[in-house]
Amino acid sequence: SPEETGYYPVVAVSSDGIDTNEVLIDIIVTGAQECDLFSDCDTCVAAERCGWCPGRCGGAGKCMEGPSSPSFETCPAHFADGRQYNQCNVVFANSLYISLGSAAAIVAFLFFWFFGFKYIRRRHGKARTFLQGKVFSAVRAGRKIHIVPPEDAHYFELIVFGVLVAVGVTIYSLLTRSTYQSEEFYLTNTSNITFNLDGCSLRFLPPEEYRGPRSLVRKEGQLGSVMMAIDLMKHPLVELKADDCGRGKIFTVINDRLDSFKYLNYKCDILLFVPKGTVLPDMIVNSVGTQPLTFRGGPVDLDSAEMGVLSFGPSKLLLTGTRIDATLDMLQCREFNFTADSGSLAVSNLDATNTVINTKTAIIDISTENSVSLDYVQPSGLACLTSFEQTIRTSCVQNTEFPPRVLENLTAIQSQPGCEDGTCELIESVCRANCSGSCFSNGTCITTICSGIQNADLVASTNALRTVPMFVKTDESEIHVRASGGINSEKTNQRVGRGAERTIDISQSDKISLDETFHAGGRAAPSEKWVWIRFTGAGVPGPSQGMFVFANSITTFVMPRALLDVVSLSLLTADTTTISLSVLPSFCPSGSGSAVTTATLEDLFRAFISNVENPPLKPEVRLPAGSIVGFLNTSTLARQVFRFSPDTGEIEVIDVSVSNFPTLVLLIALAIVIPVLVGLLTSIICLFRFKSRLEDYRYNRLKEAAASESLLDSALDGDDAGLDDEDWEPDPKEENKLRARVSLFYLLEDAQGAADKAVTRSKQIKVVFNHVVLILTPAVPLLLFSNQYESTLDLVDCEFRTDNQRCRAGRSLPVVFVESLVVTWVVVGVLELIMHFLRLGPGKIRFAVRKLFYVIYFVVGAMATMYVTTVSLWTILGVMVNPAKVMPYATAIIGLITHAASLYAKLKKIQVKIQKEVTKRVVLYKSKMKGTLPDPVLDIIMGKNISAALEEAGFSMSKVMLAVAGAVFMLLLIFAFLFVGFNAFTDPTDLGSGAINSGMTGGAAVGANQSAAGDSNDDAAKEEMEEQSASIGEKIERILNGVMKQIQNGMKMLNKMKKQLGAFAEAGEALADAGKDVYKAKSYSAKQKFKMKKDIMR
């Protein structure tokens, strides 16, 4: 059972009465691996729980767990013949069966065709006429229940829409397709595993943390063996070579991209899911390339806290490479070997029979519960050794000398006031900057020089089970070894070697880097407002626990960075940089594996302040007032501020959050609530205005239809059908039909002059494009929000988390909700548009889709308006926070709004004036035509022609809106060009550059406004408006004259038809009378013949 798996070492003792021999017997109990017993497809497939994958092992195939699909790994198709899972042989089509089946189908078709054709001809005449009648009946029945499109369905627009959808789906799939390849391997029956990796991350996790497509828990029990999942960059020059068919598994990652962008967007994540009690085989991990290998195992992270012992049993673990960052806890193995040029090695609770470590500069920090016989080589002899009891044998001597920099500047320094006697603080500070040991006021440096192998016997406790050998060799880094057998067992804690008397400090090379970052150009602080301070060293908290931060103000530090990133499209997110500082010498004891203590953080803060305000060979530089140094817990996002108390001089640690600043909280709340309310109110107003517009439009359309009937009735019997009656009610049946036809898309077509009209193909394509834009417009801001929020998870909240999958899973609910809403909206919008093109009549499905369309459109539109309003407001308010960077963007937003509003006001004003002038002319014309037609009919005809004339002249509402949209789009292009230039050639942190950029942006907006305003001469504008009004009025009069002539001609034709119908009625009556006479005559003749026959029979 899974509970019984594990490593069970047994010591067998034999004695012959004189000598006693002990033999260690390694017993490893693994889970049952039934499928490993089968090496061919037929026997594998015959097993109940197994299946055959022909694509693995270079085409030789492999037996996997899973009867119908692999349970724990992926199965590629066979590279040569394409065989899939459980296909033992290539399945060729049986030509005999296909031939027989085809022949039978042809015979049956000919039989039914011949006899069916004869039957149809005998009963119904021509077969073609019969089939056409059946199709006609089916179409007619379908149209009655509104499932078949009517004759006026717009199939061309539907085809164009289908092409646009296909193109859009293709582009979306190309843009969103995964740039990573994922594979999974089930590592059963394994004696050793070899990894050859380039810039990868390898972690051990419990099966419960698996986030992939399959379940790692089966009905019979837990995962039986180790499962490996890898996510690797998908690129022609990046390849995974896997040999997992024998007992020795080899996985090699090859990255042959050019060195200049070899690791750009590169990803190589390997997860090993280890069931509880599993004993890992020999593992060799080789790291190549310049990127570090990250190796983490045991309960070292939040998602691996429940993992337990990382057991290799009697096996060995070898880590080799150029740079390796390894963090391990509760590691148990026979042999542990670490060979790397640089990086770090932090191992807590190591239980290894033999340990060998060889490095140049990697940080070494090891703790074990066993006693240790330590041999180490370190040129400075610098080591931190902690144990219950210890015996240290060193070969070190002290050396006293003047550092070269002191000798070079000794004469100049002694000329300074107070240094005449050769002893002063300035000489000592120069010495400290160039000495790895201790300095005195006269500039002498005392160091310890060690050579050869140093020895130390570290006793963990009085009841330590065993003593294990350990060898550590390093060229520069400090060695930390702690032998602790239990609580309170550490009694001796000693730092030995050169520099042992110093407290923690920063390495000399990093002091120079710190000075260059903070004081470049003589500045007191860096230009970036947020600086990540990444300490490295033994006992230093890692990035997954937290990092120090330098911020230019407390507001920058406490403001939620994720919120700023989302609501301002990253404009207000503080510019960041990262500096890495090696702590050397580091903490002694390191305390690795335990929680981060306040004392540790205080020591790091003190070391940072001491070095940043006292740069090497420079006078003291104080950090700017108002700036802060804090610690951000990257897991909980808790914040602490560190400072020296002005009263006591001691370090104060203050827990801070945005809630500690009520004014800031109020501003954030108002900056979110106000845009939300504005967006919601705007959406509600638009909803009611659209509803009113829709109802008025439908009413007018029904009245127009009734006017057409009234015109016919007036021509036939002089009745105006009661259109002048205020209580006129439309026909419910016609109203229902119109409700089904007139939708948002229909109104958009009507605004473009294309509703129920014959238009050109190009106009039809334009109409379809506008419909697509209508669907996508509210979706774009929401997709932007989703993308921004998701990138925020990667770059802000989960940037330094090793449990990135768990971090993202706990915060990605808004992304899932928004993307699901957008997909639902697009699907419903496409369905509604298809029904619109097909002109489906009224029905339950039609109206249900329509209601769902309006509801989702309101929700999506409201959310999109809220987000756009929020981003605009935060950008404008951001001028107070970061004027240099945000001012040009705020100016652009204000310029866009102003330009759109002024252009709309101008065009609307012209439209209203022209419409008034045209209406005056039409009213005069109407008075001339009074009496020729019923007044309602005349009003409708004139109203329609006025709208058509304004549309043609470019002064309809749709033309006005299109003109405004076009002008805004052109201004956006200008702004985009300017912003590209700003980001490429100017410094976004310089206030002067920001002011100039803002002036250029505002100038572009003003220029666009001036261009749209045109000639400022009121007389000329008025004269031009009168000319346009006169021109439109003349066009309308010509149109109305033509319409009236058509109506008069129609009336004449109707009167003529009326007379002809009267003549036809009289002729019909005469013909009916003649028919009656004939019928009577024929009846009389028949009666006489019958009487004669009856008489003869008598």
Side-chain angles (χ1 to χ4, degrees):
S1 68
E3 291 78 11
E4 296 173 342
T5 59
Y7 170 52
Y8 299 94
V10 176
V11 178
V13 180
S14 63
S15 176
D16 57 0
I18 299 174
D19 298 324
T20 300
N21 298 318
E22 294 184 356
V23 179
L24 178 64
I25 302 175
D26 296 316
I27 301 176
I28 301 176
V29 180
T30 64
Q33 308 295 336
E34 174 186 355
C35 301
D36 290 337
L37 303 175
F38 310 115
S39 58
D40 64 278
C41 182
D42 294 329
T43 56
C44 175
V45 173
E48 180 181 358
R49 289 169 41 186
C50 303
W52 186 259
C53 177
R56 279 286 176 84
C57 303
K62 177 184 177 182
C63 192
M64 299 179 174
E65 289 204 26
S68 57
S69 63
S71 299
F72 306 122
E73 48 192 327
T74 53
C75 176
H78 194 278
F79 66 91
D81 52 40
R83 281 180 295 155
Q84 301 289 336
Y85 195 68
N86 275 343
Q87 290 184 350
C88 295
N89 302 302
V90 179
V91 180
F92 294 103
N94 195 317
S95 57
L96 177 61
Y97 290 142
I98 291 178
S99 300
L100 292 177
S102 301
I106 293 173
V107 170
F109 173 75
L110 293 175
F111 176 81
F112 286 108
W113 180 82
F114 177 75
F115 287 103
F117 183 74
K118 288 185 64 177
Y119 173 78
I120 291 172
R121 292 195 61 183
R122 185 171 64 250
R123 295 291 301 271
H124 304 284
K126 293 184 178 181
R128 181 179 179 181
T129 305
F130 170 75
L131 293 177
Q132 287 178 344
K134 289 297 182 184
V135 171
F136 177 79
S137 300
V139 170
R140 186 179 180 185
R143 286 174 179 168
K144 283 186 177 181
I145 59 177
H146 308 295
I147 62 174
V148 176
E151 295 180 356
D152 60 344
H154 293 191
Y155 292 107
F156 178 77
E157 286 93 331
L158 185 61
I159 293 173
V160 173
F161 177 65
V163 172
L164 289 178
V165 170
V167 172
V169 170
T170 303
I171 295 175
Y172 180 78
S173 62
L174 291 176
L175 293 177
T176 59
R177 66 178 178 178
S178 175
T179 55
Y180 307 104
Q181 52 183 324
S182 300
E183 291 194 54
E184 296 173 349
F185 302 88
Y186 195 39
L187 307 181
T188 59
N189 192 24
T190 302
S191 61
N192 61 83
I193 306 174
T194 300
F195 291 100
N196 301 306
L197 307 177
D198 188 352
C200 297
S201 168
L202 194 153
R203 301 179 63 218
F204 296 83
L205 293 174
E208 294 77 14
E209 292 298 324
Y210 176 75
R211 308 285 177 181
R214 62 189 84 246
S215 172
L216 298 189
V217 180
R218 58 191 184 194
K219 295 180 180 179
E220 292 81 0
Q222 293 182 339
L223 181 69
S225 186
V226 178
M227 175 186 164
M228 169 184 158
I230 178 171
D231 285 339
L232 184 64
M233 182 183 192
K234 188 183 295 183
H235 191 277
L237 298 179
V238 178
E239 180 184 4
L240 169 66
K241 291 186 177 180
D243 180 7
D244 63 323
C245 299
R247 287 177 55 80
K249 311 293 197 290
I250 302 176
F251 300 95
T252 302
V253 174
I254 301 174
N255 182 3
D256 287 334
R257 302 169 76 197
L258 295 177
D259 292 339
S260 56
F261 56 87
K262 186 173 185 177
Y263 300 105
L264 180 65
N265 297 325
Y266 180 72
K267 180 179 182 180
C268 176
D269 292 341
I270 301 174
L271 301 178
L272 295 178
F273 297 96
V274 183
K276 187 177 182 179
T278 298
V279 179
L280 296 166
D282 288 347
M283 184 175 293
I284 302 174
V285 183
N286 300 313
S287 174
V288 298
T290 57
Q291 285 288 95
L293 164 72
T294 302
F295 190 89
R296 303 180 70 86
V300 295
D301 299 311
L302 293 176
D303 54 351
S304 61
E306 305 298 327
M307 188 169 179
V309 177
L310 184 64
S311 175
F312 284 81
S315 304
K316 59 184 178 182
L317 173 61
L318 276 67
L319 304 179
T320 63
T322 53
R323 181 179 175 183
I324 301 176
D325 292 326
T327 305
L328 300 164
D329 190 8
M330 301 179 69
L331 172 64
Q332 185 269 316
C333 59
R334 178 66 54 82
E335 178 182 346
F336 176 60
N337 188 301
F338 179 87
T339 304
D341 293 339
S342 60
S344 62
L345 174 65
V347 186
S348 301
N349 304 307
L350 173 64
D351 184 9
T353 304
N354 185 37
T355 302
V356 177
I357 298 171
N358 194 334
T359 183
K360 294 181 179 179
T361 61
I363 301 167
I364 306 300
D365 185 8
I366 300 174
S367 71
T368 177
E369 293 186 359
N370 298 316
S371 297
V372 179
S373 175
L374 175 65
D375 294 333
Y376 65 96
V377 177
Q378 214 268 4
S380 301
L382 190 60
C384 174
L385 308 177
T386 305
S387 62
F388 179 73
E389 293 178 354
Q390 57 187 227
T391 302
I392 301 175
R393 297 171 293 276
T394 66
S395 55
C396 303
V397 296
Q398 285 190 341
N399 179 53
T400 303
E401 61 180 357
F402 284 98
R405 185 65 62 86
V406 175
L407 292 176
E408 294 172 1
N409 299 276
L410 186 59
T411 303
I413 295 174
Q414 289 178 345
S415 64
Q416 299 294 325
C419 298
E420 293 81 359
D421 59 350
T423 59
C424 64
E425 185 178 352
L426 180 59
I427 297 179
E428 185 178 353
S429 65
V430 175
C431 174
R432 283 200 306 269
N434 297 272
C435 173
S436 58
S438 301
C439 286
F440 292 90
S441 59
N442 63 353
T444 56
C445 172
I446 300 179
T447 58
T448 302
I449 301 176
C450 301
S451 62
I453 298 177
Q454 319 296 315
N455 309 109
D457 294 328
L458 308 179
V459 180
S461 64
T462 55
N463 57 350
L465 296 178
R466 58 175 176 161
T467 300
V468 295
M470 183 180 298
F471 175 79
V472 181
K473 180 181 181 298
T474 175
D475 292 347
E476 298 179 14
S477 56
E478 185 179 17
I479 299 171
H480 290 254
V481 178
R482 184 170 72 254
S484 174
I487 300 176
N488 299 325
S489 63
E490 297 177 5
K491 289 189 175 181
T492 303
N493 176 45
Q494 185 171 354
R495 172 176 273 151
V496 297
R498 184 175 63 187
E501 64 281 4
R502 291 187 299 163
T503 58
I504 69 165
D505 199 358
I506 298 173
S507 66
Q508 187 62 35
S509 59
D510 287 343
K511 289 181 181 180
I512 299 174
S513 299
L514 181 64
D515 179 40
E516 293 174 348
T517 301
F518 273 75
H519 307 308
R523 292 194 298 260
S527 58
E528 293 83 4
K529 296 185 177 183
W530 184 287
V531 180
W532 289 107
I533 306 168
R534 184 171 184 173
F535 288 104
T536 60
V540 174
S544 61
Q545 297 172 296
M547 288 180 65
F548 273 91
V549 172
F550 169 81
N552 69 329
S553 66
I554 186 65
T555 304
T556 303
F557 184 61
V558 300
M559 279 289 287
R561 298 178 66 227
L563 174 66
L564 291 178
D565 204 53
V566 172
V567 299
S568 68
L569 298 181
S570 304
L571 286 177
L572 296 181
T573 306
D575 298 328
T576 64
T577 187
T578 303
I579 183 170
S580 182
L581 303 177
S582 299
V583 180
L584 185 69
S586 189
F587 295 97
C588 184
S590 65
S592 295
S594 58
V596 180
T597 63
T598 303
T600 299
L601 299 180
E602 289 179 354
D603 289 340
L604 292 174
F605 169 72
R606 186 180 291 106
F608 170 77
I609 293 296
S610 173
N611 285 280
V612 78
E613 293 189 343
N614 298 280
L617 302 178
K618 288 184 179 180
E620 183 180 24
V621 181
R622 291 286 183 180
L623 291 175
S627 62
I628 62 99
V629 176
F631 182 80
L632 175 61
N633 189 311
T634 52
S635 298
T636 64
L637 301 182
R639 292 165 167 81
Q640 293 176 310
V641 171
F642 288 75
R643 68 177 186 181
F644 288 102
S645 172
D647 299 329
T648 63
E650 299 294 327
I651 297 177
E652 294 181 342
V653 182
I654 305 171
D655 294 324
V656 295
S657 68
V658 69
S659 60
N660 299 130
F661 304 88
T663 304
L664 186 60
V665 173
L666 180 61
L667 289 175
I668 295 175
L670 290 176
I672 294 177
V673 172
I674 291 176
V676 168
L677 292 178
V678 169
L680 183 61
L681 184 61
T682 303
S683 301
I684 293 174
I685 292 173
C686 291
L687 174 66
F688 281 101
R689 293 194 65 177
F690 168 74
K691 182 180 179 182
S692 175
R693 162 74 174 154
L694 188 62
E695 291 176 352
D696 292 343
Y697 184 86
R698 288 171 178 167
Y699 181 83
N700 293 332
R701 284 294 303 270
L702 290 171
K703 203 162 186 178
E704 289 175 14
S708 301
E709 296 180 3
S710 172
L711 185 61
L712 181 62
D713 293 339
S714 175
L716 295 175
D717 52 18
D719 186 12
D720 64 357
L723 286 178
D724 287 326
D725 189 359
E726 295 182 357
D727 296 331
W728 175 82
E729 292 289 341
D731 183 11
K733 187 175 181 181
E734 295 299 325
E735 185 180 11
N736 207 30
K737 290 182 180 179
L738 194 64
R739 281 184 59 231
R741 170 162 292 196
V742 178
S743 63
L744 180 61
F745 296 115
Y746 188 91
L747 291 180
L748 182 60
E749 287 183 5
D750 185 68
Q752 301 172 82
D756 294 334
K757 294 180 182 179
V759 295
T760 61
R761 293 298 191 194
S762 60
K763 185 69 175 287
Q764 289 176 317
I765 295 174
K766 181 181 178 182
V767 167
V768 175
F769 180 78
N770 290 335
H771 287 328
V772 174
V773 171
L774 179 66
I775 293 176
L776 296 181
T777 297
V780 170
L782 296 186
L783 290 177
L784 184 62
F785 165 82
S786 175
N787 180 71
Q788 194 70 20
Y789 188 91
E790 195 168 16
S791 64
T792 298
L793 292 181
D794 293 331
L795 300 178
V796 178
D797 286 357
C798 306
E799 181 178 7
F800 300 106
R801 293 275 294 270
T802 53
D803 58 331
N804 188 268
Q805 287 186 329
R806 172 186 279 195
C807 177
R808 288 173 53 84
R811 293 170 166 82
S812 60
L813 184 60
V815 175
V816 175
F817 171 75
V818 170
E819 291 183 350
S820 300
L821 182 63
V822 170
V823 170
T824 304
W825 155 244
V826 172
V827 170
V828 174
V830 168
L831 187 59
E832 169 68 14
L833 186 54
I834 291 174
M835 290 184 172
H836 167 74
F837 286 144
L838 294 177
R839 295 296 193 266
L840 294 181
K844 292 183 178 180
I845 297 178
R846 182 77 180 91
F847 289 134
V849 173
R850 175 76 58 76
K851 290 180 180 178
L852 184 61
F853 172 79
Y854 286 147
V855 170
I856 300 180
Y857 195 13
F858 173 76
V859 175
V860 172
M863 293 178 63
T865 307
M866 293 174 192
Y867 186 59
V868 171
T869 310
T870 301
V871 172
S872 301
L873 180 60
W874 277 82
T875 303
I876 295 172
L877 294 177
V879 175
M880 297 183 293
V881 179
N882 191 352
K885 181 179 180 181
V886 182
M887 195 186 304
Y889 296 93
T891 305
I893 292 175
I894 296 174
L896 279 173
I897 296 173
T898 305
H899 180 54
S902 62
L903 182 59
Y904 175 78
K906 174 194 171 185
L907 295 178
K908 185 66 176 175
K909 181 180 179 181
I910 295 174
Q911 181 200 30
V912 171
K913 289 185 177 181
I914 292 178
Q915 192 166 3
K916 285 182 179 180
E917 294 296 328
V918 171
T919 303
K920 289 179 182 179
R921 288 176 173 267
V922 171
V923 169
L924 292 175
Y925 185 82
K926 179 183 176 182
S927 62
K928 298 178 183 178
M929 304 299 299
K930 192 170 182 64
T932 58
L933 290 174
D935 287 342
V937 177
L938 197 59
D939 291 337
I940 291 172
I941 293 174
M942 291 186 174
K944 290 184 67 176
N945 284 282
I946 290 174
S947 300
L950 290 174
E951 175 77 24
E952 184 180 354
F955 289 102
S956 65
M957 180 56 69
S958 61
K959 294 288 186 179
V960 170
M961 297 303 296
L962 287 175
V964 173
V968 169
F969 180 72
M970 292 302 297
L971 187 56
L972 275 174
L973 291 180
I974 296 174
F975 286 157
F977 174 78
L978 290 176
F979 289 144
V980 171
F982 294 161
N983 292 328
F985 302 109
T986 64
D987 182 6
T989 62
D990 182 62
L991 187 59
S993 299
I996 295 174
N997 295 342
S998 181
M1000 295 177 64
T1001 307
V1006 171
N1009 278 332
Q1010 292 294 330
S1011 175
D1015 190 0
S1016 59
N1017 191 332
D1018 294 339
D1019 294 335
K1022 186 176 181 180
E1023 183 178 350
E1024 182 182 358
M1025 192 180 305
E1026 290 176 353
E1027 290 177 358
Q1028 291 177 343
S1029 301
S1031 176
I1032 295 174
E1034 291 174 359
K1035 288 181 181 179
I1036 291 177
E1037 288 185 5
R1038 288 197 298 268
I1039 293 172
L1040 291 176
N1041 284 330
V1043 171
M1044 297 307 299
K1045 288 180 180 179
Q1046 291 177 0
I1047 291 174
Q1048 289 173 0
N1049 292 332
M1051 297 287 286
K1052 291 178 180 179
M1053 292 179 62
L1054 285 172
N1055 290 330
K1056 190 174 181 180
M1057 289 174 59
K1058 186 176 181 181
K1059 293 178 181 179
Q1060 290 178 352
L1061 287 174
F1064 286 149
E1066 293 177 0
E1069 291 178 1
L1071 184 61
D1073 293 339
K1076 290 179 180 179
D1077 293 339
V1078 172
Y1079 176 76
K1080 289 179 180 179
K1082 288 183 178 181
S1083 299
Y1084 178 77
S1085 176
K1087 288 181 180 179
Q1088 291 299 322
K1089 289 180 180 180
F1090 178 74
K1091 187 176 181 181
M1092 289 175 62
K1093 288 181 180 180
K1094 187 175 180 182
D1095 293 341
I1096 293 172
M1097 290 178 65
R1098 288 180 178 174

